[in-house]
Amino acid sequence: MEMLQGVMEFQKNLAKDHAQVVPISVFVAVLCLCVVVGHLLEENRWVNESITAIILGCLAGGVILAVSKGNSSHILTFNEELFFIYLLPPIIFNAGFQVKKKQFFQNFLTIMLFGVVGVFISASIITSGSWWLFPKVGFAGLNARDYLAIGTIFSSTDTVCTLQVLHQDETPLLYSLVFGEGVVNDATSVVLFNAIQKIDVTRLSALTPLNVIRDFLYLFLTSTALGITSGLLTALVLKTLCFGRHSTIREITLMVLMAYLSYMLAELFELSGILTVFFCGILMSHYAWHNVTYSARITTRQVQENNIGHATKFLIVKKHVFAMMSFIAETFIFLYVGMDALDIEKWKMSKLNMGTSLGICSTLILLISVARAAFVFPLSAFSNYMNRAHSERGSKITFKHMIIIWWAGLMRGAVSIALAFEQFTFYGVTSDPINATMITTTIIVVLFSTVVFGLLTTPLINYLLPHPTTANDIIRERRYDDAREDMTLPLLSLEESAATNILRAKESLSMLMEMPVYTIHSYWRKFDDAYMRPFFSGPRPVSEHSPA
Amino acid sequence: MEMLQGVMEFQKNLAKDHAQVVPISVFVAVLCLCVVVGHLLEENRWVNESITAIILGCLAGGVILAVSKGNSSHILTFNEELFFIYLLPPIIFNAGFQVKKKQFFQNFLTIMLFGVVGVFISASIITSGSWWLFPKVGFAGLNARDYLAIGTIFSSTDTVCTLQVLHQDETPLLYSLVFGEGVVNDATSVVLFNAIQKIDVTRLSALTPLNVIRDFLYLFLTSTALGITSGLLTALVLKTLCFGRHSTIREITLMVLMAYLSYMLAELFELSGILTVFFCGILMSHYAWHNVTYSARITTRQVQENNIGHATKFLIVKKHVFAMMSFIAETFIFLYVGMDALDIEKWKMSKLNMGTSLGICSTLILLISVARAAFVFPLSAFSNYMNRAHSERGSKITFKHMIIIWWAGLMRGAVSIALAFEQFTFYGVTSDPINATMITTTIIVVLFSTVVFGLLTTPLINYLLPHPTTANDIIRERRYDDAREDMTLPLLSLEESAATNILRAKESLSMLMEMPVYTIHSYWRKFDDAYMRPFFSGPRPVSEHSPA
């Protein structure tokens, strides 16, 4: 009897352990496969990491579906908390940390037009469009808040595909606009989504949009302020503590923890963690990172006089720590989206026939395209008009550029999925057929836009911005570019933040000549050099043209 | 009505979000504080990171206890799955990755004696001692399996304190023995613990110890084999895929994922994940890491002919990625241990008077000291006897060394806590007073040994191994050492694995002259150079004395 009990206890332990171990093992294995396949397909410029991850996720889901005899296709239930608490922060922090600050702030107004005003326009069009068209394709039962949420969910873009094709050196303006919009757009969507959650849908009035905008502005400003504060605080702590001493591991750990803390604090105060951690990333790469490398340089000089240059380069590379965390999180998300596409329970639950499903999806994809066109072209024209004073060759958005910007934002990604799960499920579970339909629809739209639009991106950009070289050259050159970027990009970012980079100055001299720095930006530079840098990033104020 | 529902839903969302956000925020904030305070106390050689984290954890627990009016002192329930699935793998992987392979394998036999045979001896003594003494101090109610588990729980050491004081350059043998024992000991404790879980305590016989040893050997060998296999597989994948191409982020990601996968697979097959991931780390730093740097070197050479040296150093630093993950996990664990010490529920539940508690704890601490002395001194003598052929100054363990080795293993750490939770709680919760007593006892022993023994480590070692310089010099020199280590350690590790390091050769020339490489080790080197390296780490076989 006691022996039997012992055996049962052992089996229970086994089941308990395996409950966590099996799914994690399978998931990590598929993640490995993803990295390897992504690497193998690197030379194929039609396919990118996102598409690979989604397709592999679908395949893995299919295998699991077959093995479990149609019971389940996914091994981890999608949890929007997992997404918002663990996966999103490293991605956004890395985006802020790696952003080319100079270009980002020079094009700040245009980026904000696209990323903020654009989302408002797009969300309004998608909301009203779906409100009008969904009943016509035979799908009813959503309430006002659902329609508002749909508008926001399908306004968040995923620009990974486009950024893999655009060249930073060839089209700096285009690259910075697409990248900047991608980041700001993510944040705006989430902030707007949260603002909409607070609307009292029973008392809609003419004032409601104004209230949403007021809430939005409040969230936007407070979140940004929190991010800037924590970034500066980190810089100050690092500067105060590390003067004359040196422990890189501890410093980087502190940066990671402080960035994460700012994200969590923003969530705690019901602000937008995305915006906070994005600005925290920018501030950290501007001030705090400089302290890390600076203190390293000091210590190194004391130790090995002849080795200073090496040590500096040495430490700058550690930026890659952040890039790696971001890379894993991104692959994880896309893999998950692919795996979740075959979630048989939600498909069974939605109870709609093929035709209606197809109708809803095509309606949404159509609305997405129209809504994006409706703001990209007018806002680009507006931006051109605003910049006409100093707009020569460099800063004018041509019609071809507009088409690329429009196309770049047609893909929908992980943020859409996460918001849809937050709106239409309770902890990833739903029993309502209408909610289940919206989840499956979102997954289809994301899959379709990422795979189909994503595959067409390369040919489209090659057609619109013809490369002067042959295809083989492009591939080879791109590989070189990547390698060179790997070598110089971290350097440039630091040197740029120290405003002392000769290399960069040479490269972009012609651009600088043609496009004078905006007044605001140049005032900021003066203020930064005179007061901010000396206080936050160590005792070495440098003027813009002094050598390194 | 509907409005009320809306408000309630909003409040529910708030509560739901905060349920995760508040504890994580507080925990991350305390973690930040820990890093900062640890940094400030760096010059104080009496206090180390572990002690800081434990004390800060206690303080934070006290504050939370006060704020929650005595209801709860911890914000995250200790979960041994969290520990074994997420926190332990990076620590052990990093240990394997950073281990000085040459010294580790040269002292392999001695390390195994301490780490494996020592744990068996120590566990037997602690088990029989507690079986005999616990009833005498008025504590009864444990069964045979509990006593066996106690033996294992209190045989796992924590050598962090000692390693922070010992100097790798001054006492290489001592350092490598203490470090090596620390790693092997962790693995042995966990493996032995799992082997004991499988004992059928109702049928104890003379064969039982033999069965345990058989199970142990099986686990040890299969786990090691799995680790070696996955390490080699990773090296092969990296070599095959990355030849001529280059994407460091992807390569490092793959290494991290493969190491983690090997750990999870070991857990899945009921093997020892610790051993697996430790050997996986060794193999990866020996072969796979070389591929990462090698492919980088190739690409770099294509891009910038004059920059080769830089690029190599450049990438080697990324080892720090692993060190950072390990650092966060370690701080996390010690912080948690400190916070858990004030867990008021368990204290209330244990229902023992002060005297009995004190009796149990002192008994255990006494047993730990005796059990450790019982194997350190005989096994050291045995090791000296075995090495008498080639033991001149370098490889003989002096009596002072024995005392330091004995002392180094008196501290108990996170593994003890995790094993105690696994044995005496169900998912971190227990309602049995005897189990609660064992948990609180374990926490007290860990706290006491880490803080008291830890604080005495520095004076003891300074007394036994007097430093030729003054106290001020020690501090300054140590800071220099740290910085130099930061500069050269990663380099040395790579160059060592390429067996081409001139710097190292110079430094340790005298040691090499006096202590000839063991026969096994030299055969292995020949085999490695002839077959393993060419196959697993790229097309550049190097002989031991060729220049870099």
Side-chain angles (χ1 to χ4, degrees), chain B residues 339-466:
Chain B
M339 228 178 246
D340 206 61
L342 294 175
D343 184 355
I344 204 77
E345 287 158 39
K346 297 208 182 69
W347 287 104
K348 280 183 194 153
M349 208 176 283
S350 73
K351 287 176 189 161
L352 284 182
N353 58 32
M354 202 66 184
T356 317
S357 292
L358 216 66
I360 302 172
C361 292
S362 354
T363 311
L364 276 173
I365 290 170
L366 184 78
L367 283 173
I368 289 171
S369 321
V370 172
R372 189 159 175 86
F375 76 84
V376 165
F377 295 95
L379 290 181
S380 301
F382 179 69
S383 165
N384 281 341
Y385 176 77
M386 291 291 286
N387 291 343
R388 69 192 182 286
H390 27 237
S391 100
E392 278 149 65
R393 193 166 62 89
S395 71
K396 191 170 180 296
I397 306 171
T398 65
F399 187 69
K400 281 179 179 175
H401 285 178
M402 291 183 204
I403 294 177
I404 291 174
I405 293 173
W406 170 71
W407 184 268
L410 288 185
M411 276 74 85
R412 294 295 171 267
V415 174
S416 297
I417 299 266
L419 290 180
F421 268 85
E422 188 154 326
Q423 174 71 20
F424 296 112
T425 71
F426 185 73
Y427 286 101
V429 181
T430 181
S431 53
D432 182 43
I434 291 169
N435 287 350
T437 307
M438 280 318 300
I439 297 286
T440 53
T441 307
T442 311
I443 291 171
I444 293 173
V445 170
V446 169
L447 279 181
F448 180 85
S449 65
T450 307
V451 176
V452 177
F453 293 167
L455 283 174
L456 292 175
T457 303
T458 314
L460 181 81
I461 291 181
N462 283 344
Y463 173 74
L464 289 175
L465 302 173

Side-chain angles (χ1 to χ4, degrees), chain A residues 238 246 248 251-252 255 287-297 315:
Chain A
L238 284 180
H246 169 48
T248 319
E251 284 162 6
I252 296 179
M255 283 175 69
Y287 297 112
W289 190 250
H290 184 60
N291 286 332
V292 174
T293 47
Y294 182 76
S295 74
R297 215 176 297 151
L315 289 152

Side-chain angles (χ1 to χ4, degrees), chain A residues 28-29 57 63 129 214 242 489:
Chain A
V28 173
V63 171
R214 193 200 58 204
C242 304
L489 193 137

Side-chain angles (χ1 to χ4, degrees), chain B residues 134-191:
Chain B
F134 273 9
K136 304 212 169 183
V137 297
F139 180 59
L142 296 172
N143 60 33
R145 182 178 281 148
D146 289 338
Y147 281 116
L148 285 170
I150 288 172
T152 327
I153 289 168
F154 291 103
S155 292
S156 104
T157 66
D158 187 69
T159 49
V160 176
C161 282
T162 319
L163 288 179
Q164 288 187 342
V165 185
L166 287 180
H167 288 246
Q168 177 139 21
D169 303 327
E170 290 171 17
T171 51
L173 174 71
L174 197 55
Y175 187 91
S176 115
L177 286 183
V178 171
F179 180 85
E181 195 216 323
V183 171
V184 178
N185 174 297
D186 275 356
T188 311
S189 310
V190 177
V191 174

